[in-house]
Amino acid sequence: MKVIVFVKQIKYVYAQTGIDPKQNFIGPDDIVHIMNPLDELALEETLRVKEKHRDTEIVVISLGDGFAEDGLRKCLSMGADRAIHIYDADYGKLDAWMTAMVLAYSIRNQEFKLIFCGRRAIDDNGGLVGPYIAEILRIPHVSRVVKLEIDGGRSKVLVHRAVERGNREVMECTVPALFTIEKGINIPRYPTLPGILRAQKQVIQRMEIRDLELPLKSFGPALNLTETISLSNPKPKKRSGGLADATVSASDRLRLMMGGGDTETKGDSTLVEGSTDNVLSEIERVFRESGILPE
Amino acid sequence: MTMHRDVWVLLEAEDKKIKSSSVALIDEGRRLAVQLGGGLTAVFLGQTVEGMDHLVGTHGASNLYFIHDETLHQYAPELYERLLTQLLLGKKPYLVMAAATSLGSDLMPRVAAKLKAPLVSNCVEIRVGEDMKFIKPVQNGRLHATVVCKAPGTKMATVDPDVLTIAKEENQPKIAEVTEMRPDTEGDRLSIRVTGFLKADHRTIDISEAEIIVAIGRGVGSEENFKIIQEFADRIGAAIGGTRPAVDAGILPFERQIGQTGKAVSPKLIIMCGISGAMEFTKGIENARTKVAINMDRQSRVFKSVDLGIVDDLNRVIPQIIEHIDAMADEEKGQ
Amino acid sequence: MEHMWTREIFWNVGADKKIVVYCLAVIALGFFSYGIYRRYFLWRKVSRNKGRISFDALGKRVRSLIIDGLFQRRLLREYYPGLMHAFILWGFFVLFLGTLTIALQEDITSPLMGVSFLKGYFYLLYKLTLNIAGLLAMAGILMALVRRYIIRPDRLSRSAEQGVILIWILIILVTGFMLEGLRIYSLKNSWEVWSIGGWIVSEILSRLNAQDFSVLYLHKVLWWAHLIISFGFLAYIPFSRLIHLVTSPANIFINAPTSQAVLSPIVNFDASGSFGVSTVKDFTPRQIFDFDACTQCGRCQDNCPAYISEKPLSPKKVIEELKARWLETGELMKEGNGVEGKRGGENDGLLDEDVIWSCTLCMACAESCPVYISSFEKIMELRRSLVLMKSTFFPEIATFFRDVETFGDTFGRGRAFREDWAIGIDVKKISDGNQADILYWVGCQGTFHDRNNLIAGTLAQLFKAAGADFGILGKEEYCCGDPMRRIGNEYLFQKTAQRNIELLGRLNFNKIVTYCPHCFNTLKNEYPQFGAHFDVIHYTEFLRDLIRAGNLKITKNMEKRVAYHDPCYLARANDIYNVPREILKSIPGMRLVEPERAKRKTFCCGAGGGHMWMREIPGKKMNEVRVKEIMNGQPEIITTSCPYCLIMFEDGVKSLGLEGIKCLDVCEIIRDAL
């Protein structure tokens, strides 16, 4: 039984310590390359499938530039059987639809039972590639899966789908099918040392996009359905913070640095005391915003 | 090219009522439709909701497509996908929006793929101009991306329900024109079968999934105080989590520990009671949207990064809050 | 009459019986040798690793053997059990030498040279010494019996074997004195009063008015009984706990040069390899020998902060259980059963995981062991197996590893925030083109923790005030690797260490000063394992030098009671405990109160060995236990020089509800006193 896992190595902006507003305050030290956390959960789930169904072959596929190999290497160290890197030197230019086209066509002629991927990537916050792949391959898919069980005959899969407020929709889905994995389904394993060492020597199969026989005359970002034209800083939320707090907005940070590290800044948060009416009206506002009280 | 620049919104219901996020979405649709110079149409799949035509009309949609069928009372991905796709194929609106809920986020990509329509997910703002501009948070909300649709035809978007608010201004009561549709779903061969629904209990839900959390620290102290906390949490449907000291003191089990050695949580609202705000704890609540802290110590670190800080004894203030929301609830009923 | 002061060696028995005695001796030695030979198999062959006894640092080995073996230094840290054991050891040692002396005269000097030296004043001195030794040994045995069976301290177990051994020794001693007493009684030489023990027995006999004939008969019987019992004792040694007479001193000799502050590196990372210990066969012969050197004295347990905090760990039980597994495995191997037997073979769970994770790597067990056994070293091997081979650990540890791998620090905050603590202080950065005399290694705690980063800042300001030429690595600083290594992720540690070594090797500085004792120990003692020898000092040493040189002038009086807590990795691992005390004492008015466990005997704060990032294991909270102990001295301020300890104590002070007790770093006190 072949199981495909699509993983994404993302450039995650974890801080904004740069000083150039044109770069949205993103400095060279503010980016880390990590595997999309939900994709890691997706891989973990396939590894658990394999623990129950020993004849499973796990193939991980990643579209990306050179960094994609790091992610694939990690998948191998965790226990994936094979890794395929679809090389894209210009990574990041394709939109969700084109990405899905590439990924779908990379496995179009393969016999697979299940496909897993993360529900969304935390860098672009899309949540579209998985469903698109399923649609292109004309197979069913279930999103936000937090529990998964393959029935004995391997003809269908039982899943729990996470919906609002922790509720679950229970569904059955025929195979082959695609599942997008939501957090909470498992805790991904940390690779064993023999796993890490073995993965360092394993061969990662490399494919070029042009080898995929896409049903398109030309190929490239020109065929994107959507395009990101710019990035900007959101308006700072009403919140203050200490210096080492990653939630401090870039502008606040700049102000603090210029001011020589005034950690005593009280900021803009609302602090109420004394008057009970004041407290209650503030709490009421928060409760209405959060849906505890009707708006 | 396209002349009618109509806006469509997808509605959802819960407990036989149109969800407030859907109502707010109609408001947002109306705002955009006005700017685009087109009409506003709502579409709803499911069971009859009382007063739906009035509600939808009053908020500004002139038309309502109401697709109803036994099989649609619970979200059935493939059926919804087929029915909405068919409808949109025929009507070709300029813009279709849904709230980025578990339903909207699942359905819209399915339909978009069928229509090969550009879809922008999780938008927090949509701007009308020469091009429609869709603003969405990326990089964990650190940045906003501005996205445009390059493909011609219907544009689609899902909107973060947390930014959708029902317009404050009074609307003229109106009735939307309802087009009822009863699809034939007999022949559909479905790959996905919905077999059940499990309702979560705020007392047992995993704190990393909870939308509302009451977090307690060592400052809560006695068991007596904990009872007040528990009553409060029950009243607002919150899960209880806590700091490491609270767990170490045996007030809570380890699964409810938030922070560096515990869990990272991402609720819409977290109310921190008697928590000093040490970084070992705050690391776990970085993704919480709204943070409220109740602490007696005005100088407490916890107040440095909250949206609302209440300097008071939680024994005094929490019963007052409970009383207040009870009164509010009574008032709502009375209306 | 001086020449008469001697005795006939085979009096009343007859010198012709000598041959019988020697036959018996040969039999006893045979048993003894056979026992040791059998043991040797278990010591060497159970391990799959090759072990070689090393004789480097011979001076240190011999010195340790004399100090801690012969002079019982570590044992005598506790008076009752220390003296008890020393009496028995010294007593028997002297008695043994006495017996050898007789053999020397009877078999070598007398028959070959016709010289008998056991006479005259020397004989009297000899008798007096031996009698005192015998009486001491007897006192020791009685103390031991009282302690084990009446006082019954928690750390002692009671098995039949232990009772047998004590009674056996007692019988040897008693029969010895009785023999002497019977002889003195029948010979009636008044100068034999020098044989105190025997004289007392003879006095008793005269009170009883014993008959000469029965005295002689009894003497003869007892003589043979004493002989057989004594030889039997010799034969019994390798088959009982008495084997420690051989193994304990040998272990001191073997382990003397091993530093507890340094964990042994895994040298060959090979995908087909096995890392850490998952079965007893994975232990090295040296580690296995530790099991046999253990006398179950329980000092490690008495000093283990985890045990004292009622965690599921006793370092003594760790050794006992591993020893049991080792013996089982060995017996199965001897029987040719292979090793896949039920318990001793390739199986999981040599120890419970809760036990393995309870250890804070504070090294108190190794420090307190009289015979140089390290219990935590074995736990560390088991951790390595859990982490590297099975990847079995708390999920929060996995998060921790990922944080370090992704962000390079133990907080998972990232290099972008590495210089934030220094905002407003203006600290030079050491880089390829920018050098300084001192490299100030801040550490993750000083960099990121919202309490400790204030201390990191205070230190920088003190260095500036003293005019020191120092710089930081800034964004290039990285975790030193200590927590990963002590959690068991040797691979991640070595990758981290190599990265840091490469960087540090490229830069120009003379000395490294660290804030955190853990960074200090790792940079100073563990990086040399990978060929990096930097001159590393702890900030307390640096401040002491600055104060001595007059670069920092203490001007203020501080009328305060201050308790200084020794961080394990400063005091126990690196013998730095006088330095911070010297600094604190240089402040006029300050009253230093010493916690009960101080200096090398200090007690872990609870955060070591990865526990900063781990859930609380059931039991009491270690930091509360320690804070309570420190509070016995009624200090107003608790001070320390380790970021981990400080956080733990601030938490402990809070959770114990101690009002008005401040927790400060030593450097903060210095700052306030300038």
Side-chain angles (χ1 to χ4, degrees), chain C residues 312-323:
Chain C
L313 162 68
S314 152
K316 178 189 168 200
K317 288 217 181 70
V318 164
I319 298 293
E320 281 176 358
E321 278 176 33
L322 292 176
K323 179 177 181 178

Side-chain angles (χ1 to χ4, degrees), chain A residues 109-183:
Chain A
N109 299 321
Q110 299 196 32
E111 285 282 323
F112 56 83
K113 272 259 159 68
L114 305 167
I115 303 177
F116 289 90
C117 59
R119 203 259 294 175
R120 65 182 180 112
I122 56 167
D123 57 347
D124 60 20
N125 185 27
L128 302 176
V129 173
Y132 285 172
I133 292 172
E135 293 291 339
I136 293 166
L137 293 170
R138 294 174 196 282
I139 56 169
H141 88 268
V142 180
S143 64
R144 300 182 184 227
V145 171
V146 286
K147 192 178 169 190
L148 183 137
E149 227 170 274
I150 298 169
D151 87 331
R154 292 187 186 176
S155 60
K156 60 186 181 203
V157 178
L158 246 88
V159 292
H160 284 190
R161 178 171 180 271
V163 296
E164 280 74 16
R165 286 188 290 284
N167 296 333
R168 304 275 186 262
E169 285 175 357
V170 187
M171 295 176 167
E172 271 177 22
C173 183
T174 59
V175 292
L178 181 144
F179 301 93
T180 74
I181 302 298
E182 180 63 298
K183 69 168 192 244

Side-chain angles (χ1 to χ4, degrees), chain C residues 127-194:
Chain C
K127 284 313 276 188
L128 180 64
T129 312
L130 255 59
N131 265 273
I132 290 172
L135 287 173
L136 278 181
M138 230 157 96
I141 292 293
L142 291 173
M143 282 167 85
L145 284 167
V146 166
R147 184 159 172 273
R148 192 174 291 269
Y149 295 101
I150 297 171
I151 303 176
R152 293 180 169 239
D154 170 46
R155 74 185 190 197
L156 288 188
S157 45
R158 279 162 295 276
S159 70
E161 187 192 278
Q162 290 150 344
V164 166
I165 290 171
L166 288 177
I167 300 295
W168 198 323
I169 298 174
L170 191 63
I171 290 174
I172 293 175
L173 291 167
V174 169
T175 51
F177 281 122
M178 281 175 71
L179 280 175
E180 193 164 49
L182 288 165
R183 186 173 53 76
I184 293 170
Y185 177 70
S186 52
L187 293 180
K188 301 194 167 51
N189 290 320
S190 61
W191 48 266
E192 296 220 69
V193 69
W194 291 100

